[in-house]
Amino acid sequence: MADSSSDETCPEREWETPPDSFVEQANVAAADRDAFEERGWPGCWSVAADLLDWDRPFDAVLDDEGATRWFPGGRLNASYNCVDRHVEAGRGDETAITWEGKLGETRAYSYRELAGEVNAFAAALRELGVGEGDVVTLYLPMIPELPVAMLACARIGAPHSVVFAGFSADALATRLSGADSEYLVTCDGYYRRGTAIDLKRRADNACVSADHDVEQVVVNRLEDDRPVGDHHAYADLVAEHEGATVDPVSRGADDLLFYIYTSGTTGEPTLVRHTTGGYLTHVAWTSHAVLDLGPDDTHWCSADVGWITGHSYAVYGPLALGATTVLYEGTPDHPETDRLWEIIERNGVDVFYTAPTSIRAFMKWGEEHPEGHDLSSLRLLGSVGEPIDETAWHWYRDHVGDGDCPVVDTWWQTETGGIVLSTLPGVDRMRPGAVGKSLPGVETAVVDELGERVAAGEAGQLVVTRPWPGMARSLCEGAGWGARRTRTADGEWHYETGDNAVRDDDGYLHLLGRADDVVKVSDRRLSTTEIESAIVGVEGVAEAAVVVGADETAVQTSEIHAFVSPESNVAGDQTLRERVRDAVQEAIGPIAVPDVVTFAPSLPKTRSGKVVRRYLAAIASGEDLGDTSALRNPDVVGELESLVDR
Ligand code: WT7
C-alpha cells in the first residue's frame, strides 16, 4: 500500500495510504472533516457532543471567562449514555462487554445485562451511603466488575478513582487519602501467571494506613473461601438489589466523572480530574473519528482499565458508541505466545489498540504466531503510549493487519483525557514514524523555552494552544495539581505537555520523548523522582538517581536503573540492593522496582551540585558519554561505567 510518489519535504520517509475499502466505510470522510472544521473552533466540538444524549442541551460550546468550561448549562449522565440509551434503542441483546479471564474462562454481558448489574450495584452503593460527589476508589484487576463499578458510580454522580491493581498498599493508601475517598471496591485476589495474588490483604493494609475510615466492598474473584473481615460481598449486594432501577443522576457538563492518579514531575503522584460532558464528548468523538468505532464493532484496547487508556478506550469511548469492548485479564504470553491472536480470531475483533512495547514483544516472539490465526476481522490497528518506530509500524501492519489495515498512531496523555494527535484513518495519509497531526478542533505548536514557535524541522516542546473538551479539570483552572499552563508574552494560552517534538513541513509531528523526569517503562508512566524518594528512605542510602536505559532484549522499551550512593560506612552489597528493591516495591509496586541497582561512590554532578542524569542514562544504555568536562567530578563517570552490573 506504499505510495510510490516521491516526497520532497521528507524524502527518506514514505507515505502510506489507507486502502479504498477502508476509506469507503470510514466514519469520518474528508467531507465530514471539512464540515467539522468549517464550524470553526470551538463551535466544531458541538458536532462531537451530538454523539451523546444530553438531558439538557448546553447553552454554549465553551465558556472561557476566567476558567474554561466546556458545554456550560448542559446536563447528562455517563452511565445513561454508555448503557441505557443502547437498550432503549432496541440493542439490549447486543454484547457490551466480552471478558476473557486468566484461566481461560469467558463471560459476556449484553447491554441489558450490563444495565441490570450497573443498576443493582448503583442501588447498593447508595444504600451504603454513597452520595453524589462522594469519591469511590476501585482497586480491581481486569474483571468485568471494574467497568460495572465505574458505570454504577457514574450513574449516581459519585466520581470514581481507579487504582491500578499492581500498585502497593502504600500507593493505595496515598490515593485513598489524597482523594478523600471513604469507599473502596476491591477483590479477594487475582491470578498472575497462574499464582494467586492476595489483593484483599493489600487493601486491608492500605485501609489501616489511610487517614480516615474506609468501607470496603469485595468481589470474590478467586472463587475459593470467602475472605474474612469487615466488608460487604459484591455478589451479595448485587443479588440483594437485583431488579432495582436507579435513575441516572443528571450531572452538569462540568461536574466530575472521575479522578485518576498519574506520575508527575514531582515525587508525589499527581491527581487528575476529568469532567462528565467534556471528557465523554472527547472520548466518544475520538473513538468514532480515529478508532472508527460504531455499534457493530468489536473493539479491543489491550491497556489495563487502571490507566487512562483503559478508561477512555476500553470503557467510556466504545460503550458510549454502543460497541462491544473486549476485556482481557491475562498476559499476552500465557499460556502461549499466540494468546492475543487467538482472542482476536475467536471474537472477530474489528479494531485492535495496543502499545509499541507490546508490538516489539510480538516481533520478538515471531510473526508465525499472528500468521497462524485468521485475523481477517481486523479493519484498523492503533498504537498508543510511546513513539512507534517505522520497523514496528510495518511489522504491525503487515503481520497483524495482513498488509492492508491502516495503523493510527495516537498521541495523548492522562491530562488530555483522549487522543489529541493522530491521523484520521479515512482521510489522512500515514507517515510511519510520525504520529500525525493535531486532530480537527485541536491546535498544537512546537515552542522554545520562551514559548515562541520554532520552525518546521526544529525540536522544541509540544504545547496545546487552545482548550479541548477532554482537558483535565486542573488545566481549566490555572495552577494546581501539577498542571502546567502558561501564557506567553502575547497572552496566548499554552498547555505544556512536557514532551519534545519536531514538526515536519507537512505538519506531521514526530515525538522525541519527555523533557522532564517522567518516563515510560512497559507502557507505565513513572516519575523517576518518585522512585528516588522511595530509595533514599532506605537506611544507609545517602543519594540516589534513577534513569531509564535501553533494554537489550528489546522486549520492554526500557529498564529502570538506580544509581545508589550509600553512606560512607555502609557497604553497597546484595543486602542493601534487596532493601532498595523492597522499598520501591512497597512504596509504589512491582512495576517500579529497578531492574539494575548500581552502587556508586558518588553521582556525577555539575559544579553547582546538580546530578546530571544524562550521563547516567548513557551509562545505563551503554552509550558514548561525550564530553564530561563540565562535571565537578568527571572521574566518577568512568568509574561508574565499570561498576554497572547487568
Ligand atoms: C505520555 C503520556 C497515551 C495515553 C495513555 C498514556 C507518551 C503517549 C504517544 C505516542 C509518542 C507517546 C508521551 C506522553 N506518549 N502516546 N503515540 N507517541 N509518545 O498516558 O500515561 O499519561 O502518558 O506518553 O510521552 O506525554 P500517560
Side-chain angles (χ1 to χ4, degrees), residues 270-558:
T270 304
L271 178 59
V272 173
R273 295 163 298 151
H274 280 289
T275 64
T276 309
Y279 170 83
L280 201 62
T281 294
H282 196 112
V283 299
W285 167 251
T286 47
S287 298
H288 167 83
V290 180
L291 300 179
D292 203 50
L293 292 179
D296 297 332
D297 287 316
T298 297
H299 175 56
W300 186 8
C301 162
S302 70
D304 195 290
V305 172
W307 310 107
I308 190 74
T309 316
H311 281 58
S312 301
Y313 297 111
V315 180
Y316 285 112
L319 294 181
L321 299 179
T324 301
T325 185
V326 177
L327 217 61
Y328 175 45
E329 192 192 21
T331 44
D333 57 347
H334 192 84
E336 300 294 338
T337 41
D338 71 341
R339 178 79 168 124
L340 301 191
W341 320 123
E342 185 264 314
I343 293 175
I344 291 177
E345 179 172 16
R346 188 156 37 75
N347 290 284
V349 171
D350 297 271
V351 179
F352 182 54
Y353 191 40
T354 195
T357 182
S358 305
I359 298 169
R360 284 190 292 271
F362 306 152
M363 288 169 71
K364 189 180 176 241
W365 297 333
E367 59 209 49
E368 63 273 22
H369 301 298
E371 284 178 357
H373 291 270
D374 177 3
L375 306 182
S376 57
S377 59
L378 287 172
R379 196 179 77 238
L380 177 70
L381 299 172
S383 173
V384 59
E386 323 155 54
I388 174 167
D389 60 87
E390 285 169 88
T391 314
W393 195 102
H394 285 287
W395 191 93
Y396 192 31
R397 202 265 312 262
D398 293 345
H399 300 296
V400 181
D402 200 23
D404 71 351
C405 275
V407 175
V408 282
D409 184 7
T410 62
W411 180 96
W412 56 292
Q413 305 178 306
T414 307
E415 293 87 342
T416 72
I419 300 166
V420 164
L421 306 177
S422 186
T423 48
L424 293 175
V427 181
D428 297 315
R429 294 188 294 174
M430 300 163 283
R431 174 169 265 176
V435 61
K437 305 184 283 189
S438 308
L439 289 184
V442 173
E443 250 174 59
T444 61
V446 179
V447 301
D448 62 18
E449 287 90 31
L450 301 173
E452 301 300 330
R453 286 165 201 246
V454 300
E458 274 178 42
Q461 188 178 174
L462 176 72
V463 297
V464 189
T465 57
R466 275 176 169 175
W468 66 99
M471 64 200 290
R473 196 70 190 76
S474 46
L475 308 184
C476 306
E477 291 166 342
W481 299 115
R484 295 169 299 270
R485 170 184 170 162
T486 56
R487 276 179 201 276
T488 52
D490 54 7
E492 216 185 330
W493 184 94
H494 273 179
Y495 162 63
E496 296 179 6
T497 66
D499 275 31
N500 287 331
V502 59
R503 188 189 296 267
D504 65 28
D505 287 341
D506 302 295
Y508 277 56
L509 287 143
H510 303 241
L511 272 295
L512 305 172
R514 294 288 298 193
D516 54 18
D517 67 1
V518 170
V519 293
K520 275 289 181 78
V521 179
S522 288
D523 198 30
R524 309 287 156 66
R525 177 165 151 184
L526 300 170
S527 146
T528 53
T529 318
E530 203 174 331
I531 306 173
E532 284 160 9
S533 55
I535 298 176
V536 296
V538 174
E539 211 185 304
V541 170
E543 269 189 311
V546 168
V547 295
V548 171
D551 168 22
E552 283 161 357
T553 66
V555 166
Q556 276 177 268
T557 318
S558 33

Side-chain angles (χ1 to χ4, degrees), residues 74-93:
R75 301 196 74 84
L76 76 167
N77 181 280
S79 170
Y80 175 82
N81 272 280
C82 291
V83 186
D84 307 48
R85 64 169 177 159
H86 307 308
V87 180
E88 288 170 11
R91 304 188 59 254
D93 293 330

